[in-house]
Amino acid sequence: MLNPRARAVLTAYGVLGVVQVVAQATGPGWFAGLTQVLLMPVLALALLARTASPRSRLVTLSLAALGGSWLGDTGPRLLDGDLAFLTMVGCFLVAQVCYIAAFRPYLAQSVVRRSRAWLTAYGVVVVGLVAVCLPGAGVLAPAVLVYGLCLGTMAVLATGVDRLAWVGGAFFLVSDGLIAIDAFSGLDLPAHDVSVMATYVVAQLLLVLGVIRRDERRAPDGSPASSGRGSSASADPRRTTPGPAGPPP
């Protein structure tokens, strides 16, 4: 259960997220920018409020990912043109790498080991996204390829953390996919900014909630719970399996 402080901060994040998405749709632009810059610090406070010191590797790296995301939300506002876009991509690449490092210990509980069908589905989505974007990427094609692979890897590894993280990773894939399609494919997506921010707000929230739930199930010495069915189930009486064996509910 969330403690009152964590619940209050998460509620603040939810309200801020709704306000941000509405601001994207209605303006003014400065207000949309301000609310976007505040999102990740508030979510990081929620993660800090719900976890105890010394914090686990999972929590520490997830906080670093939120920091990279905040830089991606903030840095481009100080720049113009291609430099602003490259700064955003670079900062979010750092965030993806941090999430990958955080989620890597749960590989055995992810779809990589437990569901070939889901792994194939993720692969098809990532390959399709890269294929759509590469022709229009020009000199940025290598960056698009690297980012696409990292984004897909994060989403796949998130499936081993918790069911909420599974859904959060999928939403992140959709959010960044919309950005890439808009930037490189030449397609004019309706309500693009609103769609990107709505999926981004939900993605980060679910990833953090999944990290919190997984952190609650870690072993007393701070190490990840065993991937064995019996030991994971006993670590969390609310679950009968250690990780997702099928689609998220």
Side-chain angles (χ1 to χ4, degrees), residues 64-163:
L66 294 177
S69 299
W70 177 77
L71 290 175
D73 290 335
T74 306
R77 301 183 182 282
L78 307 176
L79 304 167
D80 296 313
D82 291 343
L83 184 57
F85 182 78
L86 288 173
T87 299
M88 180 188 70
V89 172
C91 291
F92 276 103
L93 179 60
V94 171
Q96 299 301 342
V97 170
C98 289
Y99 272 135
I100 289 170
F103 301 161
R104 173 61 181 81
Y106 308 98
L107 173 67
Q109 296 166 263
S110 72
V111 296
V112 174
R113 300 286 178 80
R114 305 190 66 176
S115 177
R116 184 172 298 179
W118 275 102
L119 180 60
T120 301
Y122 275 100
V124 169
V125 170
V126 173
V127 170
L129 179 61
V130 171
V132 168
C133 295
L134 276 183
V139 296
L140 295 179
V144 170
L145 181 60
V146 170
Y147 190 85
L149 291 175
C150 287
L151 177 64
T153 301
M154 180 280 298
V156 166
L157 291 178
T159 65
V161 176
D162 183 87
R163 290 183 186 273

Side-chain angles (χ1 to χ4, degrees), residues 169-202:
F171 267 94
F172 216 140
L173 183 59
V174 171
S175 181
D176 280 6
L178 291 173
I179 293 175
I181 290 171
D182 180 75
F184 299 117
S185 73
L187 297 176
D188 186 15
L189 301 176
H192 171 260
D193 291 345
V194 173
S195 300
V196 167
M197 286 310 302
T199 49
Y200 174 68
V201 167
V202 172

